[in-house]
Amino acid sequence: MTRPCPGARAVTSRPHWQPPAGATDCHMHIFGPYERYPLSPGRSYTPPEASIAAYRAMCDSVGLARTVVVQPSIYGTDNAVTLDAVEALGRDRARAVVVVDESFGLPALRAMAGRGACGVRFNAVSGNGTPLAQIEALGARLAELEWHMQLYAHPTEMLALEPVLARLPCPLVIDHMGGVKSGDQGLDHPAFQALLRLLRGGAWAKLCGYRSSTAGAPYADVAAMARAMIEAAPERCVWGTDWPHPSLTSPEEVPDDGVLMDALGDWAPEPAQRQAILVDNPARLYGF
């Protein structure tokens, strides 16, 4: 059983500050066209199509130059839409994070590397992905490829997995501020403290905070969490829009990406911080 969800906003505002040259959106998705890329029957939600043309228009409004296309759960382990999007956007400005399982051997992964893939995502929140039990086995494979592992999990799952995550042989990237909600203890939540420990120990994290907000736009309630992450690992924080913002329940919840960029500007007010988060850190992690 799947549920419908709204699509991206038709109009994106311009942020009140200019992102640096080479600014990178480290988390977005492409959906469709569905006649070419049919949806997985195991998906948990059904979004409207989200095209490359619409995404480019958003980037022009916000001031984004580089992109990381993340495989969405609605396609399972069929990564065609994600890898084709990298090709369409251009290998000079786009990379892919794919979804695989233990059945994907090194030759298949190396073939995807040739098309811009550099990481594998585990998504325990939306489902239809790789079981968390395969983290250690795939972690060894990713280390051989010099890829990273990206994790989107519920806070309780991340907390339970902390010992496993801390000893992974490949880089770890934590999605969506560890899934911790600002209104659910926020900074003091045990899972957020685990996230900070992992960051100090060498993990990376995405400052994609609107899903952690309980107050809504302009997401001021997650500012303390974002600043704590930047303080813990200023050289390993990156940022993403999560365009077209899937799996929400109403159009009113869908963020304006210009407002999201303004929130980042509040979290990281210094030019050097913004340069690191938007340009330098993504260049090291994704190989731009």
Side-chain angles (χ1 to χ4, degrees):
M1 184 74 178
T2 69
R3 57 179 177 80
C5 68
R9 288 174 177 254
V11 177
T12 301
S13 68
R14 294 189 180 275
H16 292 91
W17 61 283
Q18 180 63 44
T24 308
D25 180 0
C26 293
H27 196 110
M28 56 77 67
H29 316 282
I30 296 296
F31 301 145
Y34 292 144
E35 66 271 15
R36 181 175 179 184
Y37 305 102
L39 295 166
S40 166
R43 69 191 184 279
S44 61
Y45 64 92
T46 301
E49 292 186 357
S51 69
I52 291 172
Y55 175 71
R56 282 176 168 152
M58 183 279 292
C59 288
D60 289 343
S61 294
V62 176
L64 296 165
R66 294 171 177 163
T67 299
V68 179
V69 188
V70 176
Q71 171 76 353
S73 66
I74 61 169
Y75 286 111
T77 58
D78 181 353
N79 294 279
V81 67
T82 294
L83 295 171
D84 287 353
V86 169
E87 182 177 348
L89 290 165
R91 280 289 306 279
D92 59 330
R93 60 163 290 175
R95 297 289 185 272
V97 174
V98 296
V99 173
V100 303
D101 55 30
E102 289 179 322
S103 70
F104 285 71
L106 287 174
L109 297 177
R110 289 193 176 105
M112 287 193 281
R115 300 191 61 195
C118 59
V120 165
R121 188 189 199 199
F122 280 76
N123 182 348
V125 175
S126 303
N128 202 35
T130 314
L132 293 178
Q134 295 186 15
I135 280 180
E136 289 186 279
L138 278 171
R141 204 167 298 173
L142 299 186
E144 189 170 345
L145 291 164
E146 298 185 339
W147 285 17
H148 67 268
M149 181 183 295
Q150 181 177 316
L151 176 68
Y152 185 29
H154 296 288
T156 52
E157 293 168 322
M158 190 184 69
L159 184 59
L161 284 168
E162 183 183 1
V164 173
L165 300 175
R167 63 174 182 263
L168 282 174
C170 63
L172 170 68
V173 181
I174 300 170
D175 263 359
H176 299 303
M177 294 182 163
V180 177
K181 296 287 188 182
S182 65
D184 185 16
Q185 296 181 269
L187 282 170
D188 296 325
H189 193 291
F192 192 77
Q193 290 299 310
L195 167 60
L196 294 180
R197 287 192 295 271
L198 289 166
L199 282 172
R200 296 185 188 108
W204 298 67
K206 293 188 179 182
L207 298 167
C208 187
Y210 75 91
R211 292 190 186 275
S212 291
S213 174
T214 55
Y219 315 109
D221 57 321
V222 299
M225 296 166 65
R227 290 169 185 153
M229 292 166 63
I230 294 168
E231 181 180 0
E235 74 285 7
R236 290 189 305 280
C237 284
V238 296
W239 177 86
T241 59
D242 194 30
W243 188 93
H245 314 291
S247 196
L248 299 177
T249 58
S250 69
E252 293 74 24
E253 290 181 287
V254 177
D256 178 331
D257 296 286
V259 174
L260 294 181
M261 182 64 83
D262 278 334
L264 174 64
D266 177 59
W267 304 339
E270 299 299 325
Q273 292 176 311
R274 297 172 176 180
Q275 174 73 24
I277 292 165
L278 289 171
V279 184
D280 299 340
N281 297 350
R284 287 188 291 111
L285 179 59
Y286 299 103
F288 287 112

